[in-house]
Amino acid sequence: MRWDAQALSPTSGRLSGGSDDAPGPAPAADALLPLAGLVRSISTPEFSGVTFHEVTAKSVLNKVPSGSNMPFEWTVNPYRGCSHACVYCFARKTHTYLDFDSGRDFDSQVVVKINAAEVLRKELAKPSWQRHQVALGTNTDPYQRAEGRYALMPGIIRALADSGTPFSILTKGTLLARDIPLLKHAATQVPVDLGISLAMTNPDLAELMEPGTPSPRARLKLITRLRDAGLGCGVMAMPILPWLTDSDEALEALFSELATAGATGVTAGALYLKPGTREWYMKWLAENHPELVGRYRRLYGQGSYAPKEYRVWLAGRVNHFKAKYGFSGTQGFSHRNARHDAARTQATTPKTEPGEVLPGQQSLF
């Protein structure tokens, strides 16, 4: 069935390819929201339960507020919302800015910036652009399933590389493999940092918690493919989940698999439960592990972060397994241009105790 035929709201009451006087289908009651630049909303059997809201963006290069502790200054997010449907995703709250809810809507109402590559190329060509590193995958995944249909990333990668702009990509999506040749070429033009998000190897648990993502095994194979292609690939093993994935058995399995796959580094950290995520995660927990609800309420009773004592304990276990599997001294993924910024980072990064997280830092992932 043609993709166009699934439109819930055409641009001007017409479907492309239709006759001039044939009206488009009636808008769905839940499809139209006051989204800036909305072109059409589409639902298709290929993506059962998901509605795509295609928009034309005026700008896609986002400046991170100067007061932020994020380790990057600029981002590009071609999608808003994410069909990966990870119950712990920190970005859920951002969907409420579009008048969607942070639960089911985040998983099923996906905004697609269909002109992202074109707009980005124009923005990067401005004389004022200083070629700061651009981070992708910091809010929602640029290689979620919709990317297979919209193919926005090749144009984005080319625009960044052609302009001399270094960039980083963090993803759970194995669709990244499609762009390996393009990424190899881009890496000859600018620094390219690649990271895979993978924090659990139990396939049954992953299916419950990350129902729209490629399996842990598929992501491990992607790491190996990237390494075989001569590209570096770190791993963000975040979040580690109290009483679910923080046991020695779970961490042993994770780090041994990452070493076998060829990961170049690993960073691991505890679950971060900010408002918007907390409600959705606790609902999932009550349905799947009711025996843990009280423990989580006590552990996260003081805020979004696990207590310092837990983070220090977890850091000790993580460091043990990093040392055992050859990852000591490594980081899983850097949004910074390591070649150019290493000295500045060492000079300016505040000192923290083992396992302590800088405010705002953990919310990246």
Side-chain angles (χ1 to χ4, degrees):
M1 197 174 289
R2 290 181 58 194
W3 185 265
D4 282 349
Q6 312 309 310
L8 300 175
S9 56
T11 306
S12 301
R14 301 287 186 271
L15 285 177
S16 59
S19 63
D20 291 340
D21 58 355
D30 62 347
L32 291 178
L33 290 167
L35 296 173
L38 179 66
V39 175
R40 61 179 180 175
S41 296
I42 292 178
S43 181
T44 171
E46 183 184 355
F47 294 86
S48 179
V50 180
T51 299
F52 297 98
H53 303 282
E54 298 178 353
V55 301
T56 53
K58 293 183 179 180
S59 174
V60 295
L61 194 57
N62 308 308
K63 181 72 168 69
V64 177
S66 58
S68 171
N69 286 308
M70 300 298 185
F72 48 81
E73 298 179 69
W74 297 88
T75 66
V76 169
N77 294 294
Y79 302 95
R80 298 283 297 273
C82 187
S83 61
H84 284 340
C86 303
V87 297
Y88 52 74
C89 182
F90 85 93
R92 289 184 172 276
K93 182 69 172 179
T94 64
H95 227 42
T96 63
Y97 308 154
L98 303 177
D99 290 329
F100 291 116
D101 70 51
S102 60
R104 188 66 63 192
D105 283 354
F106 181 83
D107 304 338
S108 62
Q109 304 290 328
V110 178
V111 177
V112 185
K113 301 174 186 177
I114 56 176
N115 62 338
E118 176 187 355
V119 173
L120 178 62
R121 189 171 287 276
K122 291 178 180 178
E123 291 181 304
L124 297 174
K126 293 179 179 179
S128 58
W129 176 241
Q130 298 297 308
R131 296 177 177 81
H132 297 286
Q133 184 158 357
V134 172
L136 296 106
T138 61
N139 190 40
T140 56
D141 202 313
Y143 283 102
Q144 58 181 288
R145 283 187 62 217
E147 174 62 16
R149 162 66 195 184
Y150 288 100
L152 301 179
M153 285 299 290
I156 290 171
I157 291 169
R158 291 190 186 96
L160 291 166
D162 291 348
S163 70
T165 300
F167 63 92
S168 63
I169 300 173
L170 178 65
T171 183
K172 289 183 173 79
T174 52
L175 276 166
L176 176 71
R178 177 200 65 193
D179 294 340
I180 285 177
L182 185 57
L183 289 165
K184 289 181 64 177
H185 178 68
T188 68
Q189 300 173 274
V190 296
V192 175
D193 293 321
L194 301 175
I196 302 301
S197 177
L198 178 59
M200 63 186 77
T201 57
N202 183 321
D204 296 327
L205 183 60
E207 187 174 355
L208 286 172
M209 303 203 75
E210 311 167 337
T213 65
S215 69
R217 180 58 51 194
R219 278 176 272 169
L220 289 165
K221 290 181 179 178
L222 175 60
I223 294 168
T224 301
R225 288 190 64 179
L226 290 167
R227 299 295 291 124
D228 289 345
L231 294 165
C233 182
V235 170
M236 292 304 302
M238 302 174 80
I240 302 298
L241 307 169
W243 299 291
L244 290 172
T245 63
D246 63 351
S247 68
D248 280 359
E249 293 77 13
L251 294 172
E252 177 94 45
L254 175 63
F255 280 89
S256 64
E257 293 277 17
L258 295 180
T260 300
T264 52
V266 185
T267 296
L271 175 67
Y272 174 74
L273 282 181
K274 65 186 294 185
T277 301
R278 174 189 290 266
E279 297 83 357
W280 193 245
Y281 183 85
M282 293 301 291
K283 179 177 181 292
W284 177 90
L285 197 69
E287 293 172 353
N288 293 273
H289 289 280
E291 75 282 2
L292 296 180
V293 170
R295 293 184 181 185
Y296 268 81
R297 285 176 177 164
R298 289 189 292 273
L299 191 66
Y300 287 91
Q302 302 303 312
S304 300
Y305 293 96
K308 181 178 178 180
E309 291 78 11
Y310 176 84
R311 287 182 282 134
V312 170
W313 171 82
L314 180 60
R317 303 316 300 147
V318 166
N319 289 337
H320 167 78
F321 289 107
K322 287 182 71 169
K324 182 174 180 178
Y325 289 101
F327 292 117
S328 290
T330 69
Q331 292 185 358
F333 180 64
S334 173
H335 290 290
R336 299 178 190 272
N337 175 359
R339 296 184 207 173
H340 298 165
D341 289 352
R344 180 168 63 87
T345 300
Q346 291 175 2
T348 61
T349 300
K351 301 298 182 181
T352 61
E353 298 182 28
E356 188 174 1
V357 181
L358 295 175
Q361 185 177 18
Q362 189 156 339
S363 65
L364 294 175
F365 313 105

